[in-house]
Amino acid sequence: MAPRKIIIDTDPGQDDAVAILLALASPEDVDLLGITAVAGNVPLPLTQKNARIVCELAGYTDTKVFAGCDAPLARKLVTAEHVHGKTGLDGPQMDDPTMPLQDEHGVDFIIETLRREPAGTVTICPIGPLTNIATAFQRAPDIIARVQEIVLMGGAYFEVGNITPSAEFNIYVDPEAAKLVFGAGVPLTMMPLDVTHKALTTRPRIDAFRSMGTKVGDMVAAWTDFFERFDMEKYGSEGAPLHDPCTIAYLINPDLFQGRHINVEVETGSDLTLGMTVADWWRVTDRPANAVFMKDINAEGFYALLAERLARL
Ligand code: BDR
Ligand code: CA
């Protein structure tokens, strides 16, 4: 089968970085058309720079990286330096990238790509707030029917929230954008915290990265070490969830995940539950199914895939 054409929409973030590396390492499965950066974990000047740092680390300096939106549709940006550090990619000191940022705006790239490629052949993988995708859909509604699938990291239900008691970070930062995307009618698969909190780093899993003896392996181990400290303290868990690579792993091997095709609505009206993804897991409403809500992951298989693929870089 030909590799699936994808656009990664991202706010790196150490776990975003691992998702990008997994895609770059898997050309037989995914054809990365471009990376669009969005404001999220840290402001846009840092996320676009971090995306280039990651490509350069892997030696993929001709990957197209675009800067997209610098603020949510209707709200002030909320960031997550408390998790990812001041740069968004804290851990070992990294040099500034030398590869260029594309001149085109990320939203224009998304629109043009979907209009240029045959309908139904481009998958979008958002692993940050959904601002760029919603903006593209608002500006160019004709592209909506051309999207093959959206495979995103975001949301939570049984696992409740991580940035508020009821909301997951990516959805919370731009709930209006998320509402628009979830309501667009595009086939959508989501990796909520219910999945990603089962994809925890452990000492042997981090050691597997370090023992690759490569620049990428060392860096991924160092990033995950950094990233871990926050979740271990917060949840008392053995390690940290590698959220964002779940999206790319799904494209490579969907059998690693299990979920249900159900209705998921995004709350935008309540202060208390703003950004909550209300998932009708038990199908108690007659609202139409609009998302595959993943709930389980084969974590061993996921980490084995990561170790196998990242060792190639
Ligand atoms: C999501 O928020 C970000 O901090 C991570 O990169 C991930 O995309 C998890 O809630
Ligand atoms: Ca992210």
Side-chain angles (χ1 to χ4, degrees):
M1 229 182 12
R4 227 162 128 162
K5 289 181 236 175
I6 68 166
I7 296 171
I8 297 183
D9 187 74
T10 178
D11 62 339
Q14 293 87 353
D15 61 323
D16 300 73
V18 179
I20 294 169
L21 292 173
L22 180 59
L24 292 173
S26 306
E28 70 272 53
D29 297 300
V30 293
D31 175 7
L32 182 56
L33 302 179
I35 298 176
T36 50
V38 68
N41 286 321
V42 284
L44 184 68
L46 289 171
T47 59
Q48 58 87 350
K49 179 168 121 181
N50 290 345
R52 289 181 292 138
I53 288 177
V54 175
C55 294
E56 224 164 84
L57 170 73
Y60 283 75
T61 49
D62 51 7
T63 306
K64 292 194 165 70
V65 176
F66 304 82
C69 299
D70 62 1
L73 295 188
R75 293 172 194 273
K76 239 179 106 217
L77 178 65
V78 174
T79 52
E81 285 89 353
H82 59 293
V83 183
H84 300 274
K86 244 173 99 150
T87 65
L89 262 192
D90 274 20
Q93 174 74 34
M94 313 248 339
D95 290 337
D96 279 354
T98 55
M99 65 181 271
L101 178 70
Q102 301 296 309
D103 291 335
E104 198 181 1
H105 192 282
V107 170
D108 293 328
F109 169 73
I110 293 170
I111 295 171
E112 270 166 30
T113 305
L114 282 156
R115 284 182 177 159
R116 183 191 64 235
E117 298 291 335
T121 65
V122 176
T123 292
I124 306 178
C125 295
I127 52 179
L130 287 157
T131 320
N132 286 341
I133 316 305
T135 306
F137 285 2
Q138 275 178 332
R139 272 200 218 151
D142 58 290
I143 66 170
I144 296 175
R146 302 179 69 83
V147 179
Q148 180 178 18
E149 188 178 357
I150 292 176
V151 180
L152 64 83
M153 190 281 137
Y157 194 63
F158 297 97
E159 190 64 15
V160 300
N162 60 357
I163 185 78
T164 73
S166 38
E168 180 279 329
F169 179 79
N170 289 342
I171 306 296
Y172 178 78
V173 172
D174 200 342
E176 282 75 19
K179 192 180 179 72
L180 194 149
V181 170
F182 275 75
V186 175
L188 192 152
T189 295
M190 62 190 284
M191 297 291 166
L193 297 180
D194 304 75
V195 165
T196 66
H197 280 182
K198 293 173 185 144
L200 297 181
T201 54
T202 58
R203 258 319 96 193
R205 287 169 180 169
I206 295 183
D207 289 345
F209 297 138
R210 195 161 273 124
S211 68
M212 286 170 191
T214 62
K215 248 170 40 183
V216 167
D218 287 348
M219 193 55 76
V220 170
W223 280 333
T224 42
D225 272 341
F226 178 86
F227 191 57
E228 241 190 22
R229 93 228 176 276
F230 174 78
D231 286 270
M232 288 169 80
E233 237 169 70
K234 178 174 171 192
Y235 297 109
S237 53
E238 197 187 348
L242 274 186
H243 307 279
D244 293 339
C246 289
T247 56
I248 308 297
Y250 169 77
L251 295 176
I252 298 172
N253 183 3
D255 294 342
L256 292 172
F257 301 89
Q258 280 182 335
R260 285 188 188 177
H261 189 216
I262 57 170
N263 176 267
V264 179
E265 301 291 333
V266 178
E267 175 61 57
T268 55
S270 146
D271 282 345
L272 200 56
T273 57
L274 183 69
M276 181 177 181
T277 46
V278 179
D280 188 6
W281 181 260
W282 301 112
R283 299 193 176 107
V284 293
T285 73
D286 53 10
R287 294 195 285 260
N290 59 340
V292 176
F293 183 100
M294 290 300 182
K295 193 158 170 287
D296 282 303
I297 177 173
N298 168 354
E300 279 304 321
F302 170 70
Y303 276 93
L305 177 71
L306 272 178
E308 182 233 314
R309 294 296 166 99
L310 297 187
R312 297 170 169 184
L313 295 174

